[in-house]
């Protein structure tokens, strides 16, 4: 399918990156290259854009979209958790700006066969990188009741986590859970009808989010990746991060806040013994989409953009 994705807060990202025409910029979540093409359009022939994505469909679409750019473009099929190795491989030592646009992209949601959506019946998959071995099928059919409950609570913040996990275990004792439709049906039966009637959102939304995060280890790689990006930023280089739910944003906020803090010793110590150095400054508070963007792209509703500058 065609990889078409509406870039969230594109204008704010461009302003946040403070682009120099001869700079080096890294889009760690390339997707359909919406943000990347905007960045590339502001780069001259001495500028460089490196795009990274773990989705092969996105990589193919991005290469095509960026083919006419006058700057030097590099598109890599990889995961940004390997950022240090990727930069070393491309002989890049200093970067003027990084972008992390977290979460799942619209084409991945809309492609029913990928199994990300609770609105389409499809095999339970949810892998962003099809070369990875762990799938949603494995999580749903092999994890223990306790493990399922834990990820539903931790990654989905689902009130009915324990009951849904119990219903999944009971169902799979009779037959494997192979499709998204089966899973949605189990979730709907597990959540009391009165609760479903009084909540406008889809009852499976939080559970699907939790499973997707588990399959792709979305939260586990964030802190280290942000720290790696800051380490490779040039002086006054910018780090921009777009998050789409509270768990991502909490990790982002806490990680950036720590890197923007100097001494972290207890206040009663007479001298600093931690040696912690301030690495960045935060460029204001988190930004959210404009009213116009919310109308044009409802999927941007939960987005937050955080910007930091290397000292």
């Amino acid at each position: 399918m065609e990889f078409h994705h509406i870039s969230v807060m594109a204008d704010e990202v461009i302003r946040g990156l403070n682009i120099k025409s001869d700079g080096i910029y890294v889009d760690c979540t390339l997707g359909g290259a919406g943000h990347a093409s905007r960045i590339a359009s502001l780069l001259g022939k001495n500028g460089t854009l490196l795009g990274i994505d773990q989705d092969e469909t996105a990589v193919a679409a991005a290469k095509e979209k960026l083919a006419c750019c006058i700057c030097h473009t590099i598109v890599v099929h990889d995961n940004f958790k390997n950022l240090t190795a990727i930069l070393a491989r491309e002989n890049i030592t200093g970067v003027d700006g990084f972008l992390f646009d977290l979460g799942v992209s619209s084409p991945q949601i809309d492609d029913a066969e990928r199994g990300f959506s609770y609105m389409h019946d499809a095999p339970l998959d949810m892998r962003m990188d099809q070369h990875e071995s762990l799938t949603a099928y494995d999580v749903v059919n092999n994890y223990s009741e306790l493990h399922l409950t834990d990820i539903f609570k931790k990654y989905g913040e689902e009130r009915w986590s324990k009951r849904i996990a119990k219903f999944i275990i009971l169902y799979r004792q009779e037959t494997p859970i192979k499709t998204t439709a089966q899973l949605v049906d189990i979730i709907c039966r597990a959540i009391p009808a009165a609760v479903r009637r009084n909540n406008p959102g889809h009852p499976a939304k939080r559970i699907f989010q939790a499973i997707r995060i588990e399959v792709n280890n979305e939260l586990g790689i964030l802190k280290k990746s942000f720290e790696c990006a800051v380490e490779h930023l040039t002086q006054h280089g910018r780090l921009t991060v777009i998050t789409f739910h509270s768990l991502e944003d909490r990790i982002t906020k806490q990680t950036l806040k720590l890197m923007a803090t100097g001494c972290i010793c207890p206040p009663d110590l007479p001298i600093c013994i931690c040696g912690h150095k301030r690495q960045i400054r935060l460029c204001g508070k988190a930004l959210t989409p404009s009213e116009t963007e919310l109308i044009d792209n409802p999927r941007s509703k939960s987005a937050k953009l955080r910007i930091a500058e290397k000292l």
Side-chain angles (χ1 to χ4, degrees), residues 19-25 36-50 69-73:
I19 294 170
K20 301 183 295 185
S21 65
D22 60 349
I24 298 174
Y25 295 86
S37 60
R38 288 283 299 272
I39 295 168
S41 70
L42 298 172
L43 297 177
K45 62 181 182 180
N46 293 322
T48 298
L49 172 70
L50 167 62
C69 297
I70 64 170
C71 67
H72 179 47
T73 60

Side-chain angles (χ1 to χ4, degrees), residues 73-291:
T73 60
I74 308 165
V75 177
V76 177
H77 176 232
D78 208 328
N79 189 306
F80 63 72
K81 68 182 180 182
N82 303 316
L83 190 55
T84 297
I86 295 168
L87 294 175
R89 198 162 62 231
E90 301 299 335
N91 295 315
I92 295 175
T93 54
V95 176
D96 296 293
F98 284 95
L99 168 63
F100 292 83
D101 182 3
L102 306 178
V104 64
S105 66
S106 296
Q108 288 169 333
I109 295 172
D110 295 335
D111 184 354
E113 290 305 308
R114 301 293 295 273
F116 285 102
S117 177
Y118 43 79
M119 302 300 291
H120 306 289
D121 188 20
L124 279 170
D125 192 327
M126 300 194 197
R127 289 173 297 171
M128 292 183 182
D129 184 347
Q130 295 290 296
H131 293 286
E132 293 293 333
S133 58
L134 183 68
T135 67
Y137 176 92
D138 300 320
V139 172
V140 171
N141 287 282
N142 299 330
Y143 279 25
S144 68
E145 183 176 341
L146 185 62
H147 198 175
L148 287 173
T149 301
D150 181 58
I151 67 167
F152 294 164
K153 282 183 179 178
K154 186 177 178 182
Y155 299 152
E157 300 177 300
E158 172 58 62
R159 175 186 172 191
W160 299 95
S161 295
K162 187 173 182 179
R163 183 175 165 88
I164 293 168
K166 185 180 181 69
F167 271 59
I168 287 173
I169 297 299
L170 290 172
Y171 187 100
R172 78 188 197 195
Q173 285 176 354
E174 301 297 326
T175 184
I177 303 167
K178 296 181 179 180
T179 69
T180 54
Q182 283 177 286
L183 182 57
V184 168
D185 180 61
I186 295 166
I187 295 166
C188 289
R189 286 192 285 110
I191 300 175
V195 174
R196 285 188 275 115
R197 282 195 299 269
N198 294 326
N199 286 276
H202 195 287
K205 181 178 180 180
R206 293 176 182 272
I207 298 301
F208 270 62
Q209 172 183 294
I211 296 171
R212 191 200 78 220
I213 290 172
E214 173 69 12
V215 168
N216 298 287
N217 190 26
E218 291 177 33
L219 300 181
I221 63 177
L222 294 184
K223 183 176 184 292
K224 185 177 179 181
S225 297
F226 296 155
E227 291 171 344
C228 175
V230 168
E231 181 183 337
H232 286 89
L233 277 174
T234 57
Q235 186 178 18
H236 304 306
R238 295 287 184 89
L239 170 66
T240 58
V241 184
I242 302 174
T243 62
F244 288 89
H245 58 74
S246 60
L247 300 173
E248 290 174 342
D249 191 59
R250 190 177 307 137
I251 294 171
T252 302
K253 182 179 180 180
Q254 290 173 349
T255 304
L256 298 187
K257 183 179 179 181
L258 182 60
M259 287 192 285
T261 303
C263 174
I264 54 174
C265 290
D268 56 340
L269 283 182
I271 60 170
C272 173
I273 60 171
C274 70
H276 191 268
K277 302 293 184 183
R278 186 180 178 213
Q279 298 172 269
I280 59 174
R281 73 171 183 90
L282 304 180
C283 301
K285 295 182 179 180
L287 302 176
T288 55
S290 65
E291 290 297 325

